[in-house]
Amino acid sequence: MAILTKLIVLAASVSQVYACVHAWAYIDTGDLPVNDGHYAQLDDNGSTKCQGFDINSLDQDGHYHANCVPGYVWAFTTNLRHAWYGYGSASFQWDTNFESGETDCGGCRESKSGTHCEKCNAIQFEDYLQLPNLICLKIQKEDGLNIQMITEAGIIGKIGLNSQGVGCTLNALKAKGVSFSSLPCHLALRTVMESPSREAVAG
């Protein structure tokens, strides 16, 4: 049972990390660079972990390597179509939501025919790595209780509401250490959603 509990906690931890990442980058390929013509930023759980990169420097695999806080790594291909991110034992990769095209980048002027701006050609991506991993899970229990929750595939309980009006949300704080003798977070959330009332949860 202790091994199973450890696996549940580990799976929940990795899934939560992946689900809360916001990453974006661009490279201006035109003649009028803005902000030195390139930029990148990655936020994990609302905290900026990586910001900026040296466009004249590639890592050992021929990829751009972002400037990250110690212990974090974020790299992406020179065409911005694929990215890697990780820290500690958690790591993953994804195909980016790549775009390219012409944008307004400065040097705007007004005339009788309207506003005219200088154009830049850019390649870019912006990814929210949450929606592709979420499912809406609907459960009908034998006792007639209905549960609907938003979770990642494989996670037994997270954010949801049942047909008795009992629901739960989730907020998390980082803390050192793991108690393997306590009830894992997602099992506790599922227990709440299987309860018929607030009093039953508290009891």
Side-chain angles (χ1 to χ4, degrees), residues 10-192:
L10 177 61
S13 174
V14 172
S15 183
Q16 284 179 327
V17 170
Y18 188 91
C20 299
V21 171
H22 178 204
W24 68 98
Y26 77 86
I27 298 175
D28 171 37
T29 58
D31 297 326
L32 293 171
V34 179
N35 294 333
D36 296 325
H38 61 280
Y39 185 73
Q41 183 168 323
L42 185 145
D43 298 335
D44 190 342
N45 286 309
S47 175
T48 299
K49 302 300 183 185
C50 306
Q51 191 171 32
F53 68 100
D54 184 354
I55 199 168
N56 297 312
S57 177
L58 302 178
D59 64 17
Q60 66 274 14
D61 298 313
H63 306 137
Y64 290 129
H65 195 96
N67 304 319
C68 300
V69 299
Y72 290 78
V73 177
W74 180 33
F76 40 87
T77 56
T78 55
N79 62 6
L80 304 189
R81 291 181 179 271
H82 196 79
W84 297 260
Y85 172 61
Y87 69 91
S89 61
S91 63
F92 50 90
Q93 58 183 297
W94 71 97
D95 291 327
T96 66
N97 183 27
F98 175 83
E99 295 180 338
S100 64
E102 189 177 68
T103 60
D104 293 335
C105 63
C108 296
R109 64 184 185 280
E110 298 290 338
S111 69
K112 293 180 179 180
S113 59
T115 301
H116 301 276
C117 299
E118 301 292 347
K119 300 292 183 180
C120 290
N121 291 305
I123 56 175
Q124 61 189 357
F125 71 82
E126 182 172 15
D127 294 320
Y128 294 88
L129 303 178
Q130 180 176 19
L131 293 179
N133 306 294
L134 296 181
I135 60 173
C136 180
L137 187 61
K138 298 180 180 180
I139 302 168
Q140 185 172 8
K141 296 187 63 183
E142 292 183 355
D143 61 7
L145 185 70
N146 294 316
I147 299 171
Q148 185 166 324
M149 63 180 172
I150 302 296
T151 184
E152 292 89 6
I155 301 298
I156 194 170
K158 201 163 188 182
I159 300 167
L161 182 71
N162 70 26
S163 55
Q164 295 296 317
V166 177
C168 59
T169 59
L170 176 64
N171 197 3
L173 297 174
K174 289 186 177 181
K176 293 184 178 180
V178 176
S179 173
F180 294 113
S181 62
S182 301
L183 185 66
C185 169
H186 294 282
L187 292 181
L189 292 169
R190 177 62 176 266
T191 300
V192 169

